[in-house]
Amino acid sequence: MITNGGVYVFHIFDNYAATGWCLLFLGMMECIAVSWFFGIERFWKHVCEMIGFEPTIPWFKWSWAVITPLSTSVLMVISLVFYKRLKYHTYVYPDWALVICWLMTLSSISWVPGYALYFFFYETKGDLKQRWQQCITPKGETTLKTSKGLTDEAGDFLEMEPFYNEGSESARKMEDSTPGVEQALVDQQPPKYEDIGHSV
């Protein structure tokens, strides 16, 4: 970067490293994974729980599920259709430099389909349908059949035991320690105004 040709190397990074087509592809894959594999309704429920309310108009929900994947895919197609050879002012980059540019781009985006294929063929079992179902099911999630024939989905990372549950051991310990805590607070109360006046 500090040599005479450093600006040409910087121009390659500026156009192919982590900008343009790379960001569009990764953004589209993130939205598809969250909205269509994990489930937009499930994700939206978690978001509403974190912010404490449910927005009247779910703009972000529609954006994550439909608007962003469509817009990023359209922009990627347009950028490929109107692709122009990289150049800096009057200097046109040679073929070997363009190969390095696209290898740099693939180094960012190839991990997404690469790991997807690896997980599909090596981390799952069963036929194609069963493998696909395992791929789109959140890790750690189990499916339980209730007596009514309904399906309850639960995961260790989704459900947590309440901090204070009536009848539990922690609740009994808290109730046992409450009188002592209250007495300690009473003992630490500051003197009243009239007591201060008499002492002065």
Side-chain angles (χ1 to χ4, degrees), residues 52-71:
F53 67 96
E54 183 175 357
T56 305
I57 303 178
W59 295 108
F60 286 103
K61 179 181 177 181
W62 301 338
S63 178
W64 293 327
V66 179
I67 298 175
T68 301
L70 285 179
S71 60

Side-chain angles (χ1 to χ4, degrees), residues 59-119:
W59 295 108
F60 286 103
K61 179 181 177 181
W62 301 338
S63 178
W64 293 327
V66 179
I67 298 175
T68 301
L70 285 179
S71 60
T72 51
S73 59
V74 169
L75 288 174
M76 281 193 299
V77 172
I78 292 176
S79 64
L80 291 177
V81 170
F82 295 96
Y83 174 77
K84 293 182 180 180
R85 193 183 187 92
L86 183 65
K87 66 178 182 179
Y88 182 74
H89 294 305
T90 58
Y91 176 77
V92 180
Y93 283 75
D95 294 337
W96 63 266
L98 295 179
V99 172
I100 295 177
C101 293
W102 283 107
L103 288 176
M104 190 178 300
T105 300
L106 292 175
S107 67
S108 300
I109 67 177
S110 60
W111 295 100
V112 176
Y115 181 76
L117 292 174
Y118 166 79
F119 190 87

Side-chain angles (χ1 to χ4, degrees), residues 107-175:
S107 67
S108 300
I109 67 177
S110 60
W111 295 100
V112 176
Y115 181 76
L117 292 174
Y118 166 79
F119 190 87
F120 183 82
F121 288 106
Y122 294 99
E123 297 294 332
T124 58
K125 298 179 181 179
D127 54 16
L128 294 180
K129 184 177 180 180
Q130 293 174 345
R131 288 174 180 269
W132 175 253
Q133 189 64 32
Q134 295 174 32
C135 288
I136 63 176
T137 302
K139 188 176 181 180
E141 182 177 284
T142 57
T143 303
L144 303 176
K145 297 293 184 178
T146 61
S147 58
K148 296 182 180 180
L150 302 177
T151 302
D152 293 333
E153 295 178 348
D156 296 337
F157 61 96
L158 295 178
E159 297 292 338
M160 295 182 62
E161 184 180 356
F163 175 74
Y164 183 84
N165 189 7
E166 186 176 357
S168 62
E169 183 178 356
S170 59
R172 289 193 298 270
K173 291 181 179 179
M174 185 176 295
E175 291 174 356

